[in-house]
């Protein structure tokens, strides 16, 4: 299983040392009504959560700050401490770590808080006990032939699908960041319903895990939820005839301009097996463009056997590399691997997005071009730490649907044995050399067999590498070769070649349109997801606060981290420097809540997600609509007089 880890490296706060705590007199009443919540401090009380909650409690008069602890022990033994924060200035806490799945009788996790005054500290509050329990496993949703689909799970970062009937020799599992998975293993080089009729599968949700070093007692937190029961999906027999497009499918099933935008990267469905020239095929490729003419390509799919394609971040199928391997492919399930060389209809070498290098996650507030300053603000310091392989960039950027969107099509692909190809040596090659320089390396591929030389020095060679005009061989040359000697390809590996030009099929109407957009929500029914100290000194959830407020948001599908910014004006939104983040314009977090360091006044804040399946440096998703929040000035009154 591919595992990702995330650590919030800037938000951990050290607790007071036992010696310092012992030196502070204990006086007054402990904080009351400590509780956990996900969006608002006034939501119905819960003691079980599927993602790390925020916490709130009644304020204590005279408190300068609060000390907060999470532990696996109701007596808060040192070995049981999971998280501590010592400098909370308002009665709210937003831990950013990933808590483990853990349940007890009656509870397994405990929180407590105490107020620190100028010359004393209150007793610790009564422990608030709670459990962490995963959401139920995803359930199947209606789909189309060749495509598995399931319910998105709030807070899930990705999903792992287990193909029950593929064991050659180990179980076949696929990780994806969307809620659809194509059945390419079952369809590629297979057409009978004995292969494609019934697919049995299980699924579980995956989440990012905090770096164990950031958890005080290093308590492990697994990255997965429970496996689902075994599900069975049934496919109808493959439809033959001209290739036609179906729907795009993810959290919605869409069919053009009148459909809603996808919040997750969709799968693409189609049917038919006949190219424009009447050729019957069994392989296909999906292309995605920004224009109706299908010229500006932004996505190239892996080759699949139809009738659906959905992006996979960890690579395509290992297609047969030579004609002799095709019979074996027809009698088995292909494993993941790499595609042999493939080319477009007009000769351009193609590489599927699934084979691109893994993306580099965003770990800091990016350089901001939305500032009112004449100079873009520089990127902030690193706040998040990711580990593991997040996979290839197989997602698409948000669009302003329906005014803008993407266009997609499907083309037929053929497996072609390479024909004769001739070039000549460009430099002298010595006896025993493992490579030679050719006048042109175009068209040559790994696995090609060659004849090099003339008459007495002619010999055969097999290519193991091609770089520009340099051909590298499997074994040393037996003869020396001069400049201009012929190099003739006599055979080689299969090449996978498009049998149609996207521009042509789009012109003839084989093109469809879809949109994609996802953003977190900051409100529900007009109520803000914000909590903190009211101007009258009470714990409140609303829009007006005294001191730093805690804001929360609903998880955006596809997001694995979030950025928060705040501005004095709604429009133009002018993000303000964050003094707690080296004056970067905002803050990053792996959680779905944050405490904003706002001074008195009227503010507007916004949140956007970061999709790690987008290319490095361009993983920003859509901003939420700005939400208004008010921070009141402190009020004073005279409590005594004098002369």
């Amino acid at each position: 299983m591919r595992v990702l880890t995330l650590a919030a490296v800037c938000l951990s706060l050290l607790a007071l040392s036992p010696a310092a705590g012992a030196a502070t007199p204990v006086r007054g009443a402990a904080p009351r009504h400590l509780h956990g919540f996900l969006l608002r401090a006034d939501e119905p009380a819960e003691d079980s959560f599927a993602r790390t909650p925020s916490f709130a409690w009644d304020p204590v008069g005279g408190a300068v700050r609060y000390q907060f602890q999470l532990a696996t022990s109701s007596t808060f033994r040192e070995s049981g401490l999971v998280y501590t924060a010592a400098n909370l200035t308002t009665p709210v806490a937003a831990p950013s770590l990933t808590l483990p799945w853990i349940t007890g009788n009656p509870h397994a996790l405990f929180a407590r808080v105490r107020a620190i005054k100028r010359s004393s500290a209150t007793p610790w509050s009564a422990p608030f006990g709670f459990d962490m329990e995963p959401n139920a496993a995803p359930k199947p949703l209606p789909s189309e032939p060749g495509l598995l689909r399931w319910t998105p799970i709030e807070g899930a970062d990705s999903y792992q699908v287990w193909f029950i009937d593929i064991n050659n020799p180990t179980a076949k599992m696929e990780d994806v960041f969307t809620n659809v998975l194509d059945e390419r293993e079952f369809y590629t080089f297979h057409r009978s319903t004995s292969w494609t009729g019934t697919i049995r599968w299980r699924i579980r949700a995956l989440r990012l895990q905090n770096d164990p070093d950031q958890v005080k007692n290093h308590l492990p937190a697994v990255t997965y939820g429970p496996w689902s029961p075994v599900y069975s999906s049934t496919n109808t027999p493959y439809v033959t005839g001209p290739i036609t497009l179906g729907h795009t499918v993810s959290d919605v099933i869409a069919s053009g301009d009148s459909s809603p935008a996808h919040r997750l990267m969709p799968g693409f469905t189609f049917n038919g097996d006949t190219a424009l020239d009447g050729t019957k095929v069994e392989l296909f490729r999906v292309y995605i463009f920004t224009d109706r003419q299908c010229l500006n390509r932004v996505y190239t799919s892996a080759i699949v056997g139809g009738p659906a394609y959905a992006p996979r971040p960890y690579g395509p199928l290992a297609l047969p590399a030579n004609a002799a391997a095709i019979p074996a492919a027809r009698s088995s399930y292909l494993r993941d691997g790499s595609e042999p060389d493939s080319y477009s209809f007009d000769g351009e070498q193609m590489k599927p997005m699934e084979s691109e290098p893994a993306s580099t996650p965003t770990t800091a507030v990016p350089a901001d071009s939305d500032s009112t300053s004449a100079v873009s603000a520089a990127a902030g310091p690193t706040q998040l730490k990711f580990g593991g392989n997040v996979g290839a960039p197989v997602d698409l950027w948000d669009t302003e649907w329906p005014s803008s969107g993407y266009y997609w099509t499907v083309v037929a692909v053929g497996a072609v044995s390479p024909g004769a190809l001739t070039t000549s040596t460009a430099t002298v090659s010595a006896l025993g050399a493992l490579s030679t320089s050719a006048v042109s390396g175009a068209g040559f591929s790994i696995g090609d067999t060659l004849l090099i030389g003339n008459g007495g020095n002619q010999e055969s060679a097999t290519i193991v590498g091609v770089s520009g005009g340099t051909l590298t061989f499997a074994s040393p040359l037996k003869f020396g070769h001069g400049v201009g000697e012929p190099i003739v390809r006599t055979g080689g590996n299969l090449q996978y070649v498009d049998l149609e030009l996207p521009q042509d099929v789009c012109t003839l109407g084989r093109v469809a349109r879809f949109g994609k957009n996802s953003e977190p929500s900051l409100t529900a029914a007009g109520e803000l997801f914000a909590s903190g100290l009211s101007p009258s000194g009470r714990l409140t959830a609303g829009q007006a606060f005294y001191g730093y407020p805690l804001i929360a948001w609903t998880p955006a599908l596809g997001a694995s981290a979030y950025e928060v910014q705040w501005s004095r004006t709604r429009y133009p939104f002018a993000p303000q420097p964050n003094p707690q983040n080296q004056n970067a314009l905002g803050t990053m977090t792996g959680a779905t809540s944050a405490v904003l360091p706002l001074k008195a006044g009227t503010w507007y804040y916004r949140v956007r997600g970061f999709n790690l399946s987008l290319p490095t440096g361009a993983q920003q998703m859509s901003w939420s609509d700005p939400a208004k929040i008010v921070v009141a000035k402190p009020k004073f009154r005279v409590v005594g007089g004098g002369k």
Side-chain angles (χ1 to χ4, degrees), residues 166 168 184-192 195-196 282-283 305 317-335 340 415 494 496:
I166 301 181
N168 58 343
R184 64 182 73 171
E185 291 84 355
F186 300 89
Y187 280 91
T188 303
F189 294 110
H190 310 137
R191 274 292 183 265
S192 72
W195 289 91
T196 64
E282 56 182 337
L283 299 173
L317 293 179
L319 297 176
N322 54 68
I326 289 182
R330 296 194 187 283
S331 60
S332 64
Y333 298 105
L334 295 177
R335 304 296 294 183
L494 289 173
Y496 290 82

Side-chain angles (χ1 to χ4, degrees), residues 144-145 243-249 253-256 259 267-272 307-308 408-410 510-514:
E144 300 192 5
I243 299 171
T244 58
L245 305 186
H247 300 106
T248 52
V249 180
I253 297 178
S255 58
S259 300
F268 304 83
T269 63
F270 50 94
N271 56 52
W408 69 282
T409 191
V410 175
R510 193 197 301 168
V511 62
R513 192 166 178 260
F514 71 97

Side-chain angles (χ1 to χ4, degrees), residues 420-611:
L421 184 65
T422 301
T423 185
S424 59
T425 54
T427 60
V428 173
S429 300
L431 170 69
L434 279 170
S435 65
T436 191
S437 294
V439 172
S440 172
F444 290 96
S445 301
I446 294 173
D448 286 354
T449 56
L450 310 174
L451 284 177
I452 305 175
N454 291 300
N457 73 340
Q458 190 178 70
E459 60 182 307
S460 61
T462 300
I463 294 178
V464 295
V466 179
S467 177
T470 301
L471 308 180
T472 303
F473 308 126
S475 57
L477 294 175
K478 298 176 182 178
F479 301 100
H481 298 278
V483 176
E485 294 190 17
I487 300 174
V488 181
R489 181 170 65 193
T490 57
N493 288 337
L494 289 173
Q495 296 178 358
Y496 290 82
V497 180
D498 293 354
L499 304 182
E500 303 169 304
L501 193 66
Q503 177 184 338
D504 294 342
V505 300
C506 290
T507 299
L508 293 174
R510 193 197 301 168
V511 62
R513 192 166 178 260
F514 71 97
K516 185 176 181 293
N517 193 17
S518 181
E519 61 189 48
S521 174
L522 305 182
T523 63
E527 295 291 333
L528 202 65
F529 298 143
S531 307
L533 187 65
S534 74
S536 61
R538 297 183 178 183
L539 176 66
T540 186
Q543 194 173 16
F545 302 94
Y546 170 71
Y548 294 172
L550 182 151
I551 57 115
W553 53 89
T554 58
L557 291 181
S560 296
Y562 298 89
E563 179 185 6
V564 187
Q565 288 186 336
W566 46 93
S567 167
R568 288 285 190 180
T569 56
R570 180 183 178 91
Y571 184 82
F573 193 97
Q576 298 299 299
N578 179 1
Q580 298 180 348
N581 192 28
Q582 296 184 23
N583 288 324
L585 298 185
T587 189
M588 292 281 292
T589 178
T592 53
S593 62
V595 176
L596 303 186
L598 303 181
K599 297 179 179 180
T602 298
W603 295 89
Y604 298 86
Y605 68 92
R606 62 185 183 181
V607 178
R608 65 178 171 185
F610 283 75
N611 182 343

Side-chain angles (χ1 to χ4, degrees), residues 26-34 57-61 66 112-115 117 121-127:
V26 177
R27 296 175 185 157
R32 301 176 59 208
H33 301 139
L34 171 63
W57 54 91
D58 289 346
V60 174
Y66 297 92
R112 69 177 182 177
V113 65
R114 66 178 176 181
K117 301 183 179 182
T122 69
W124 286 103
S125 68

